[in-house]
Amino acid sequence: MASAPAQQPTLTVEQARVVLGEVIQAFSVPENAARMEEARESACNDMGKMLQLVLPVATQIQQEVIKAYGFNNEGEGVLKFARLVKMYETQDPEIAAMSVKLKSILLPPLSTPPIGSGIPTS
């Protein structure tokens, strides 16, 4: 017997601000910061390894916060929360700024290749 689909959590702009702030703060907790740093070091700035090692740790940290607000404790909950934040980014400059901050925590700094190291022309 299949269970009924869970009700999608809904947050007001103010609630989304609070939750987003808590998510960002969770990455500052020493234990979480150490977990993220360890995952980043293991990934050695390799994007494929970042997805395999860093993303799951980041997802777990976010899940711990957002589950208290009705999001499921699986990757799907993080995706739903991300979509909700994305929707509010255009309506609220504070959420937009917080979203940028969260992305800077999650995404590695991109290094640009030196000029002239692109694909050789023939």
Side-chain angles (χ1 to χ4, degrees):
M1 179 192 286
S3 61
Q7 178 71 25
Q8 166 126 357
T10 55
L11 300 174
T12 64
V13 172
E14 293 79 17
Q15 290 169 323
R17 241 186 259 130
V18 169
V19 178
L20 192 52
E22 288 180 21
V23 167
I24 291 169
Q25 186 64 38
F27 283 96
S28 300
V29 172
E31 175 188 320
N32 291 338
R35 289 171 58 203
M36 286 292 289
E37 185 60 31
E38 182 180 331
R40 281 193 182 103
E41 286 176 5
S42 297
C44 300
N45 236 7
D46 177 287
M47 188 53 77
K49 288 183 180 178
M50 292 292 273
L51 292 173
Q52 291 174 337
L53 303 172
V54 178
L55 188 61
V57 172
T59 300
Q60 289 171 355
I61 293 168
Q62 291 180 76
Q63 285 170 339
E64 288 301 311
V65 174
I66 66 173
K67 71 181 180 182
Y69 295 92
F71 293 89
N72 75 21
N73 199 24
E74 297 174 11
E76 182 183 337
V78 172
L79 292 175
K80 286 181 180 179
F81 177 68
R83 282 193 291 264
L84 187 70
V85 168
K86 185 79 173 158
M87 179 183 76
Y88 284 141
E89 280 178 0
T90 58
Q91 301 172 24
D92 187 85
E94 190 176 344
I95 288 179
M98 293 169 84
S99 180
V100 167
K101 183 172 183 173
L102 180 60
K103 287 174 189 167
S104 74
I105 293 169
L106 300 177
L107 299 173
L110 297 176
S111 57
T112 54
I115 296 175
S117 67
I119 300 172
T121 57
S122 351

